[in-house]
Amino acid sequence: WLICVSTIFYLRYKSVMSKKPIYFKSEEFRMMVMLTGVVLLIALVYLLIEGDDTPINIIFNTISATTTASFAASDYSVYPIFIVALLFIATIVGGSAGSAAGGLKVSRFLIITKNAYNEINKLLHPNAVYDVKVDGSSVDDRYISITMVMLFAFIVTMISGTAVFLLFGLPFDVSVLTSISSLTCYGASIGPYGPFGSFAELTEGAKLFMCILMWIGRVEIMSAFILFTPGYWREFRLSMRNMRRKPVRNWR
């Protein structure tokens, strides 16, 4: 499930064509498995001690959260708030870039983590030169900047979404998790809007806003925000004007 939903399609294609399990050669895949394992271990230990659920249900719910698949074997709304928060943090990370999973993608968090580590080292060694590398290749500074901007845009959108859901009358915890669920395309929140609940009782305005957040999350945030810039529409009108022009024919 983790491979089918959260792994980049190219890596699966390359593994099939080479007839070798090359998944663990990808640094992103290794980090995704590691993060899933950490979340799963914490959830298993905590919930089994508390006796809140069976191991198979905990494993299913955790992998569903990390892959943003939106399935559930049991109602995780009854879990302690610490575990619920951990599962929704996992949905924010999501799966690999280029996969069917939602979230910000593991590759971006890998770059953010390495860049943050480099910045800390630069404070200790100002004259040193550090490079962010993924799978042995250097990451362009421009892509690092875009990744940081996407993280900032996600956080701002999540906070704004929470504020809007509060205006619609939802409790604070439900508003936060519904905002995260919509942005990551996870599709479920907690309480009456949890995996065995429904958003049917929400107002039409709240449902429409959820659709907008899901659209923003699915098209990778920055692509959605481009539509709200005047420059995009100027370029769009110019390109449409050029397309409508008839070609000039030379009858000589």
Side-chain angles (χ1 to χ4, degrees):
W1 189 0
L2 193 68
I3 292 176
C4 291
V5 178
S6 290
T7 305
I8 182 173
F9 291 105
Y10 173 73
L11 191 60
R12 296 193 339 235
Y13 170 79
K14 193 174 180 180
S15 180
V16 170
M17 295 304 293
S18 63
K19 298 181 181 179
K20 296 179 182 178
I22 61 172
Y23 294 103
F24 281 94
K25 291 183 179 180
S26 169
E27 192 173 357
E28 180 184 22
F29 183 82
R30 293 197 303 269
M31 185 176 183
M32 180 178 67
V33 172
M34 183 190 70
L35 291 175
T36 303
V38 169
V39 174
L40 182 58
L41 181 62
I42 294 173
L44 273 172
V45 171
Y46 195 94
L47 293 175
L48 289 179
I49 291 175
E50 296 293 326
D52 289 330
D53 208 347
T54 61
I56 189 64
N57 286 349
I58 298 170
I59 294 172
F60 189 94
N61 291 342
T62 302
I63 295 180
S64 177
T66 56
T67 58
T68 67
S70 194
F71 295 112
S74 60
D75 189 2
Y76 55 75
S77 296
V78 300
Y79 291 173
I81 189 62
F82 167 73
I83 300 298
V84 175
L86 189 65
L87 293 179
F88 274 84
I89 290 173
T91 66
I92 294 176
V93 177
S96 300
S99 70
L104 278 172
K105 305 297 187 298
V106 176
S107 61
R108 294 193 179 100
F109 274 93
L110 184 62
I111 291 172
I112 291 169
T113 302
K114 289 190 173 185
N115 186 57
Y117 179 76
N118 286 349
E119 292 299 326
I120 293 173
N121 284 331
K122 286 179 182 178
L123 294 175
L124 298 174
H125 310 285
N127 296 325
V129 177
Y130 295 94
D131 195 15
V132 175
K133 291 186 176 181
V134 177
D135 291 333
S137 300
S138 298
V139 180
D140 189 82
D141 290 340
R142 181 174 176 273
Y143 187 76
I144 296 175
S145 299
I146 293 174
T147 302
M148 301 302 292
V149 170
M150 284 196 67
L151 175 62
F152 175 75
F154 183 93
I155 294 174
V156 171
T157 306
M158 182 191 72
I159 295 174
S160 301
T162 300
V164 172
F165 285 124
L166 286 172
L167 291 177
F168 281 116
L170 298 182
F172 178 76
D173 56 342
V174 176
S175 297
V176 173
L177 298 184
T178 301
S179 180
I180 295 174
S181 176
S182 301
L183 274 174
T184 59
C185 299
Y186 182 50
S189 184
I190 58 172
Y193 315 110
F196 296 100
S198 172
F199 290 105
E201 66 181 52
L202 290 180
T203 63
E204 298 301 320
K207 293 176 186 175
L208 178 60
F209 184 69
M210 283 185 66
C211 292
I212 294 173
L213 287 182
M214 292 180 74
W215 171 74
I216 291 174
R218 178 49 63 185
V219 299
E220 299 283 321
I221 299 181
M222 299 307 296
S223 300
F225 286 167
I226 287 176
L227 296 178
F228 298 98
T229 59
Y232 170 82
W233 293 107
R234 283 196 298 267
E235 292 291 332
F236 177 77
R237 287 194 297 268
L238 181 61
S239 62
M240 292 298 295
R241 192 179 302 119
N242 291 335
M243 289 176 60
R244 290 170 183 170
R245 288 178 180 174
K246 295 182 180 180
V248 178
R249 295 180 179 179
N250 190 352
W251 296 100
R252 294 181 181 178

